[in-house]
Amino acid sequence: MKLRDRITIRCAPEVVWAVLAEPSFMPAWNPKCVSCQAPQGSIGVGAQYQAVFKMEGLEQEASCEVLECVSLQRLTVRYSGAGFPNGGHVEETFQLTPTSSGARLTHAVDFGRSGIPWVFQMLIWLISTFGHTVGPSILENIRELTEGLNPGP
């Protein structure tokens, strides 16, 4: 099961990419991320780092590995660790596309290998599709952060 969303951001794609490709920024745009230790050097395929997420009141450490990194275009990260049953993992992909007014950012989260039972995956999908969100989404947070760094035209 994949959840998808997209947003238009009014700033240069380079600014959006700089935020996405720097793991230490994750707590600023992901409300569930408590902390994130950036890997040494620039991020690229195979880079690994740790992040702590708070879900349902519990903090869980996740191992993060960059699976795909095409500068200014696409970033895929795999999250695994104690929070996922049966050795599962989740993959998060950001696709960045330049537009005349800035950039379009597409976000996909794949729960297919999460180890979460399918009935709960369906519940996650139903809530994300038809439920009411509290607070801004991840993409809205990224837009606010990046437009604040470098407002567009």
Side-chain angles (χ1 to χ4, degrees):
M1 180 205 50
K2 280 188 184 181
L3 301 178
R4 290 187 175 95
D5 200 5
R6 68 177 171 210
I7 198 166
T8 299
I9 300 175
R10 293 187 182 132
C11 71
E14 293 82 5
V15 175
V16 179
W17 183 258
V19 167
L20 293 175
E22 176 51 58
S24 62
F25 277 122
M26 193 186 323
W29 54 260
N30 186 332
K32 293 182 180 179
C33 184
V34 175
S35 65
C36 187
Q37 296 178 347
Q40 296 285 48
S42 61
I43 195 165
V45 173
Q48 297 182 8
Y49 52 97
Q50 301 295 310
V52 176
F53 295 92
K54 188 171 187 175
M55 295 187 223
E56 298 180 15
L58 298 173
E59 289 189 6
Q60 299 279 342
E61 186 169 275
S63 295
C64 311
E65 180 181 1
V66 177
L67 301 179
E68 184 178 17
C69 183
V70 179
S71 184
L72 298 172
Q73 295 178 30
R74 189 173 176 91
L75 178 67
T76 301
V77 178
R78 174 185 293 158
Y79 303 95
S80 59
F84 297 104
N86 307 318
H89 65 269
V90 169
E91 292 180 7
E92 180 174 47
T93 300
F94 292 96
Q95 179 76 41
L96 188 59
T97 307
T99 67
S100 60
S101 63
R104 179 175 33 261
L105 182 60
T106 303
H107 179 231
V109 181
D110 185 350
F111 288 92
R113 295 183 182 99
S114 66
I116 298 170
W118 70 269
V119 71
F120 292 115
Q121 288 187 42
M122 289 306 299
L123 184 59
I124 291 168
W125 180 83
L126 286 169
I127 291 170
S128 70
T129 303
F130 300 108
H132 174 68
T133 59
V134 176
S137 71
I138 284 174
L139 292 182
E140 290 167 334
N141 285 338
I142 293 170
R143 178 173 59 193
E144 182 178 331
L145 178 62
T146 55
E147 288 180 353
L149 292 172
N150 186 9

